[in-house]
Amino acid sequence: QVQLVESGGGLVQAGGSLRLSCVASGRTFSTYAVGWFRQAPGKEREFVARISASGGSTYYTDSVKGRFTISRDNAKNTWYLQMNSLKPEDTGVYYCAASFKAIAGSADYNYNYWGQGTQVTVAS
């Protein structure tokens, strides 16, 4: 049974940092592209960042470029989202996701497995 479990969310002041982790189990994800999405209260889920299976290609939504970094450790079946210079508008539930493709697009339909989400709250 495939399972993705996020951790690392919490409450932080604006300008602070958090590091989210997503641990996958049930199969090896080293050939899968993975990504992070978020959903703010009252809004639809949106793409945040993605990384290819090899880790050689990353892509970010414009609002987080220069502040967030996605990475992965295939040996640990884990991927990360380092979030710096957090802003109140970064508040939301953050979801990790994995795609059957080695390189996946930013739309959520490209992703086949999803975690349950972790709450990130940035106070002003």
Side-chain angles (χ1 to χ4, degrees):
Q1 179 181 356
V2 172
Q3 190 173 18
L4 307 183
V5 179
E6 303 97 336
S7 62
L11 173 64
V12 65
Q13 293 294 316
S17 298
L18 286 173
R19 188 194 194 204
L20 305 184
S21 299
C22 181
V23 179
S25 61
R27 69 192 312 163
T28 299
F29 282 81
S30 60
T31 60
Y32 291 19
V34 298
W36 289 94
F37 291 74
R38 66 187 179 189
Q39 186 168 20
K43 295 186 177 182
E44 295 195 353
R45 186 168 61 191
E46 65 172 354
F47 165 80
V48 176
R50 55 179 167 86
I51 186 168
S52 61
S54 67
S57 175
T58 59
Y59 187 79
Y60 302 87
T61 192
D62 285 346
S63 63
V64 308
K65 285 180 181 177
R67 300 188 297 122
F68 290 12
T69 303
I70 188 172
S71 61
R72 65 189 299 163
D73 185 340
N74 286 339
K76 295 182 178 180
N77 236 18
T78 300
W79 51 102
Y80 308 95
L81 186 67
Q82 178 67 45
M83 305 186 295
N84 299 330
S85 302
L86 282 161
K87 303 176 181 180
E89 51 264 43
D90 295 318
T91 294
V93 178
Y94 282 69
Y95 300 90
C96 64
S99 170
F100 290 147
K101 303 174 185 178
I103 299 177
S106 302
D108 57 5
Y109 61 74
N110 287 297
Y111 295 83
N112 307 97
Y113 297 111
W114 292 84
Q116 82 290 346
T118 185
Q119 177 70 45
V120 171
T121 303
V122 184
S124 56

